[in-house]
Amino acid sequence: MTIREFKMPDVGEGLTEAEILKWYVQPGDTVTDGQVVCEVETAKAAVELPIPFDGVVHALLFEEGTTVDVGQVIISVQTGDAGAEAPVQTAAAPVAEAAAAAAPAEEPVAEARQPVLVGYGVSTASTKRRPRKATAAPAAQNGTAAPAAPAVPAAPVLPAVPAQPTGERPLAKPPVRKLAKDLGIDLASVVPTGDGGVVTREDVHAAAAAAIAPQAVPAPAVPVAAQAQAQAPVAEAAPAADTSARETRIPVKGVRKVTAQAMVGSAFTAPHVTEFITLDVTRTMKLVQELKDDPDLAGLRINPLLLIAKAVLVAIRRNPDVNASWDEAAQEIVLKHYVNLGIAAATPRGLIVPNIKDAHAKTLGELSESLSSLVATARDGKTSPADMQNGTITITNVGVFGVDTGTPILNPGESAILAVGAIKLQPWVHKGKVKPRQVTTLALSFDHRLIDGELGSKFLADIAAVLEHPRRLITWS
């Protein structure tokens, strides 16, 4: 019987860390090769991780909500395959550290990056752990994996664990450290009750309750309102303290972190120019209704965004130089002979921009199917990193929120982004008379290094011309 470890894999998209969203297994569960054991959130996508061997779950090394670096062990499994890896001498808590001590025996197997069902395993260099501040820290990393910590003396680094000096860093798992930080508790002041002197979540909560309790002592001396509060259950005192806070701090991670980095990078790298145009889209709205009634398009999602996307593709064909990117290292402008059309999508995890590959080559029906699939996948949080790479131009539909227009920021690496405002019935001069018409405003932001004012204006004007007279979808194609 051996202990095998599964590390946070690199899914092949430059992943450096991921947050564990959900565990699908618990210690003691039997797992099989290819079974999904957890769901993690990478930069902008939720990914299910299958385990590449059979066995019984020995320990989960991190709790849900923890951000883990690529290459760190996240789960250990007992297997009966004695030849697969060097056996771990103990089932004790520091499984990851014991495996690290056995690493020389594993080197021949891990010389090449091995497939782990989701991307590839981490290269040898990336599996090195950060240096620890104290010799006792490895035990803190995996303190709750199993209760048999005293059985580890076979590993050379662990004899110092029992003799932890009082001045050293308190032993606690990363989630417990985060909890203590959020509650304003100094771990050094917490009395540990876990095995081997490890501080547990319960210890931190107890310390927080003790810190609040003295503040409640003067309550009996306060008039009637305070006496009524004193009669409430003691357990309700802690939430009362939390709700009185004037600020709430939310960790920046996952989609929000990546979006922030991308927007700052784009705003301060590409010189943005934004132009606006207000137009009558009554004919386009009529065409949308006619297409909905067309039996040849039955079952397809037909909406204004579909025709707007088609108008953008027609305008790109008429102004191909807008479809480009800036290569800073080579000091070159890269003209793209394909269009990967990005669609900004609001999801429960934040804003993402997947793109339709080779949108320029799709028929109206194919474009409709791609849009529907893209949006549904994004809302389910299943968009893959590959679906968000190599975009060329993006559309963001702020009109669905009732907004007239905006000044969108470029998706990094792209040349332009079109914001579509709300379509509203407004008075409009049509054929010499003021009539109610369907009107909207478009805003085009573009990279002024790639697109000068004339080209950007022509591109936006062509989009508007197609939407004002949708027959140009045919005559200009």
Side-chain angles (χ1 to χ4, degrees):
M1 188 70 67
T2 59
I3 301 294
R4 298 191 67 179
E5 298 173 335
F6 181 55
K7 300 175 181 178
M8 179 68 73
D10 178 357
V11 297
E13 305 294 343
L15 174 68
T16 59
E17 64 181 17
E19 177 185 354
I20 297 176
L21 296 179
K22 184 177 182 180
W23 282 108
Y24 294 117
V25 296
Q26 294 298 324
D29 290 353
T30 299
V31 294
T32 58
D33 187 354
Q35 178 179 339
V36 173
V37 294
C38 68
E39 182 181 27
V40 301
E41 184 179 45
T42 64
K44 287 197 172 183
V47 179
E48 292 181 334
L49 298 184
I51 199 158
F53 39 78
D54 303 331
V56 177
V57 177
H58 174 256
L60 307 181
L61 280 300
F62 294 94
E63 295 184 357
E64 294 177 356
T66 305
T67 299
V68 182
D69 290 337
V70 167
Q72 284 191 286
V73 177
I74 60 174
I75 181 174
S76 60
V77 175
Q78 288 183 350
T79 69
D81 185 2
E85 294 200 359
V88 177
Q89 298 297 325
T90 177
V95 174
E97 295 303 325
E106 298 176 6
E107 291 294 340
V109 180
E111 286 180 0
R113 300 181 74 195
Q114 301 296 321
V116 291
L117 301 185
V118 178
Y120 288 82
V122 190
S123 60
T124 304
S126 64
T127 61
K128 294 180 181 178
R129 288 175 172 78
R130 300 185 182 91
R132 310 284 182 173
K133 292 185 179 179
T135 57
Q141 175 82 8
N142 304 305
T144 61
V152 184
V157 72
L158 296 179
V161 173
Q164 177 184 350
T166 55
E168 295 292 345
R169 188 184 187 194
L171 303 182
K173 294 195 303 180
V176 177
R177 295 186 184 280
K178 180 179 182 302
L179 174 65
K181 180 179 179 181
D182 292 343
L183 296 178
I185 300 299
D186 181 4
L187 280 177
S189 66
V190 177
V191 178
T193 62
D195 294 336
V198 175
V199 178
T200 66
R201 298 178 68 91
E202 291 72 18
D203 297 337
V204 174
H205 283 299
I212 295 172
Q215 301 175 7
V217 173
V222 185
V224 180
Q227 293 178 11
Q229 293 179 358
Q231 295 173 2
V234 176
E236 297 180 0
D242 292 339
T243 56
S244 65
R246 292 169 61 86
E247 297 179 351
T248 299
R249 290 182 175 268
I250 302 173
V252 179
K253 57 184 179 180
V255 174
R256 175 57 57 192
K257 180 178 180 180
V258 175
T259 300
Q261 292 172 343
M263 292 299 97
V264 170
S266 176
F268 292 97
T269 300
H272 285 53
V273 172
T274 304
E275 295 185 342
F276 307 89
I277 189 169
T278 301
L279 61 148
D280 177 4
V281 293
T282 303
R283 293 185 180 91
T284 290
M285 297 304 291
K286 288 180 179 179
L287 179 57
V288 168
Q289 189 58 51
E290 291 173 2
L291 294 175
K292 286 182 178 180
D293 298 335
D294 190 333
D296 292 335
L297 298 177
L300 297 178
R301 183 177 177 82
I302 308 297
N303 55 23
L305 180 60
L306 174 62
L307 295 188
I308 293 169
K310 200 65 177 176
V312 169
L313 295 172
V314 170
I316 291 174
R317 185 180 293 113
R318 288 171 56 84
N319 305 273
D321 288 350
V322 304
N323 193 41
S325 64
W326 182 272
D327 188 334
E328 181 66 29
Q331 287 294 293
E332 294 175 340
I333 293 175
V334 182
L335 296 177
K336 308 292 180 64
H337 304 301
Y338 58 88
V339 181
N340 290 344
L341 185 63
I343 304 295
T347 74
R349 293 190 176 98
L351 175 68
I352 64 173
V353 188
N355 58 73
I356 301 171
K357 307 298 184 187
D358 294 324
H360 65 287
K362 296 184 180 294
T363 65
L364 188 67
E366 292 170 342
L367 192 61
S368 173
E369 291 176 345
S370 297
L371 275 171
S372 298
S373 174
L374 177 148
V375 173
T377 303
R379 287 177 178 171
D380 292 341
K382 303 299 183 183
T383 302
S384 69
D387 290 337
M388 295 182 284
Q389 291 188 333
N390 302 319
T392 56
I393 289 178
T394 289
I395 298 174
T396 177
N397 186 8
V398 298
V400 296
F401 305 109
V403 175
D404 290 333
T405 189
T407 54
I409 296 177
L410 296 171
N411 203 30
E414 298 184 8
S415 60
I417 179 171
L418 179 74
V420 181
I423 299 174
K424 300 178 180 179
L425 196 64
Q426 296 183 16
W428 192 264
V429 177
H430 178 66
K431 296 182 180 180
K433 296 181 179 179
V434 177
K435 296 181 179 180
R437 304 286 288 180
Q438 298 281 354
V439 176
T440 190
T441 298
L442 304 179
L444 179 73
S445 292
F446 53 86
D447 186 341
H448 214 343
R449 297 174 300 179
L450 298 165
I451 303 172
D452 59 25
E454 179 185 11
L455 179 59
S457 299
K458 286 182 177 179
F459 178 56
L460 181 58
D462 280 353
I463 297 173
V466 172
L467 295 176
E468 285 182 325
H469 300 281
R471 67 176 181 271
R472 290 181 173 134
L473 288 171
I474 299 174
T475 59
W476 286 2
S477 294

